Amino acid sequence: MSNLKPLKSALVWLAVLLGVAFAMPNFLTKEWADALPSWLPHRQVALGLDLQGGSHFMLQASREDILAERLEAVTNDVGKALRDADIAYIGLSGAAQLISLRVRDRAKLPAARAALAPLMTPVETGGLVNDEVTELAFDGAEEDELVRLRLSDDGIDYRMSQALGLAMDVVRRRIAEVGVAEPLIQRRGGDRLIVQVPGLADPQRLKDLLSQRARVSLQMLNTAVPVEQAIDAQPPAGSEVLYSFDDPPVPYLVEKTPLLSGEDFAGAQPEIDAASAEASVAIKLTPAATGRVVALQATGADQKVAIILDDQVVATPKLGDAVKGDTAIIAADLPEEGAGDLAALVRTGPLPATLTVVEERTVGPGVGDDAIGDGLKAGFIAAIAVAASMVFFYGVFGIFAVAALAVNLILIIAVLSLTGATLTLPGIAAIILTIGVAVDSNVLIYERIREEARGGQPLVQSVNKGFARAFSSLFDANLTMLIAGAILFYLGSGPVRGFAVTLAIGSVTTLFTAYTVTRRIAKAWLRGWKAQHLPKGIRTGRFSDLDIRFMAIRNPVFIVMAALSVASVVLLASLGLNLGVDFKGGSIIELEGKAGNVDIADLRVRLDELNLGEVQVQHLGSGNDVLVRVPSQEAGDNAEQTAIGVIRAELSDEYAFKRVEVVGPVVSGELTRAGTIGLAVSFAAILLYVWLRFEWRFALGAIVATLHDVLLTIGFLVVTGIEFNLGSIAAVLTIVGYSLNDTVVIYDRIRENLSRYKRMPLSVLIDASINQTLSRTILTALTTGLALAALYLFGGGVIRSFSVTLLFGVIVGTISSIYIAGPILILFRKRTDHFQGGENASGPGAGAAQTTKGSV
């Protein structure tokens, strides 16, 4: 194996060198990065919309639109098939997914079913034809002359999938119309699209463009019967009644078959009349469509035609005025901007189904710049504080830890650049948290080295044994964080995913740098300085020399902690959490007064007049920044967007919209379920690992301690009224990982001492184990607390509640790893077979306790 050591070292330093190469473009300007030689990496970390500004939309396609169109199309196909087979029928109608009719001659019922059989086409799934599933099938047995057919769910799902694919192309073209390059458009589930548009200046205009199907057509007016008669009785065959945009709407009887529709349009441009300043839209027609209209005009150019937009009548001009040569003209008192948007909709083509914005998260570019600045400031201060702490407590070994931490951060940036993962504001928070938690790995190793050296072994052997014995705890701690990150990513969305990705990457790079990079730096120092003893700068021995009897007061502390947990449950049940828009729906708007300080009272009055419910307004930081909370409108997802549109129209002249978050009722319900499941699954997965890694008593202690930390954190959120949102889910799961990390380290030492000191009373052994790891416990809590304090003080208002929640969880997790996890082992009599005379026995057990002090 010794022959492989140079190769291992070479691979480690090669990985570090590659990390530096992939991270280097991020420390250069875009121009300098592009100027690097072609053989060097050029990719920079992709910034999330919360850091660069832009909009995130979740669009839901209307299943009802697809079903209605398929029902109409199939109903027409059924009628045509029976007519072609010369089979008379009556009462052909469709409702929901059911189509029914009666065959006039019962004797022809088998022939009717045979004529309809070719319509039972197989559904294509995954690019293959599935002969077992058809889009249309007979429903029920024969009953007299009645024939029933049903559209299958699989068939509608297939049509939805097709529609979503077409919608992606239309959405991409419409985004291009607003001048934004490189949008991200992804499918989510069976009926949704995720659209992320960086640098979007006017999100409202884009939402207006995306929410219209834009089915434009010219349909001839039917003047055979008065429209009132068609409404009271039934429209003539081939006709329908449509209404105008007027208030009140005006009914018109129009032919169903359009004269001109989307496939007849070759282009569209807005036109402005210089004399009247009125805008219109000129639509270029295809040659075939032009010929068809010219032929019709020759028979009667004075016939009236209805211009239809999404089943509503825009105007009813004469045919000769509506189409001139090869150009159709839409003139309906349009404003200039409206004409431009309508022309854009015609050019990009109609959507196959209505898209509803069910979630919106918009961030202005200025907010992103501020977030990056705040994040860098918080990260720099956290790094300085942590580095100073490590150097103070460990001297030259602390310098090694700082070097490993720098490599760790470089590797995180390199992996983000290499994989194309997006760095978000919560991701910056995860990096800052990693700064604090990553130091724990070095502390674990250094404390092991210090203990081995105090046993009288040569320093080289102490270093080797310290790294080897610390690896188990090191691996356990980082694996629990990786499990939490992986589950958060799988079940989370948006900001939570950004946090999860960075947290997971940080757990892997921390394990690599702490165990391999730090080890090689330490060995290089040993070879260079020929050191025989630990550096004098190590000051952590004073913690383990304290010999605190923690278990002597375990019962009163345990009772107090249990009472706090019960109180948290009572508070949660009686007061409840202050749920954010992520979980109860509604909107959050961050406004900046263009004229300076905002008059809160005036703003409240203006918003109250909009009748949007109990709108909350509060100052945010400076006097010209305010936060507006709009409650859920409880009338569907469109109502949420309507509320935002009304507020924009009222305030856009005087206020800049820095940040907008809108979550509809459908998405808020899904986020609630996903958040609950995410917490439960993460909790179960991590605890299952602890169970397998140790045994059931240890696992039970970890479960109780971690559950206590979660309950107290939730109680803290209830008491403080901090908004519970997606970031809170990430914070709680991080606390779970941190608490288990702390508990696992102590349990590792307890398990080691259990095998070493067979007859020591358990309470004494637990005290000895906690004292042996006390240096690590205090330093990890200190460095993590420093990082989170920097995040709270300098990280900006958006992540302040996130960081203070984590800070509280770190304090509670540190206490519970001592006063909850330890007493649980005593409660369940971990070593009853070895107890001689009870826990207060003297003799060999007590002597062993003294031996462990400072030398284990």
Side-chain angles (χ1 to χ4, degrees), residues 141-197:
E142 296 182 11
E143 179 184 338
D144 297 328
E145 299 85 13
L146 183 65
V147 177
R148 286 191 296 263
L149 304 100
R150 180 175 294 277
L151 290 170
S152 68
D153 291 333
D154 290 320
I156 300 301
D157 290 341
Y158 168 62
R159 298 292 176 179
M160 276 293 299
S161 178
Q162 281 188 318
L164 216 57
L166 294 173
M168 289 180 68
D169 295 333
V170 176
V171 167
R172 185 172 284 107
R173 292 195 296 268
R174 292 188 182 179
I175 293 174
E177 289 289 338
V178 299
V180 178
E182 299 182 1
L184 174 65
I185 306 174
Q186 297 177 327
R187 298 176 70 150
R188 176 70 60 84
D191 62 349
R192 295 184 189 174
L193 294 177
I194 298 294
V195 177
Q196 294 184 350
V197 188

Side-chain angles (χ1 to χ4, degrees), residues 739-757:
S739 174
L740 279 170
N741 179 8
D742 229 9
T743 303
V744 163
V745 169
I746 294 176
Y747 274 0
D748 258 339
R749 186 58 63 95
I750 292 174
R751 184 174 59 175
E752 181 181 325
N753 288 337
L754 280 171
S755 61
R756 182 177 295 182
Y757 306 106

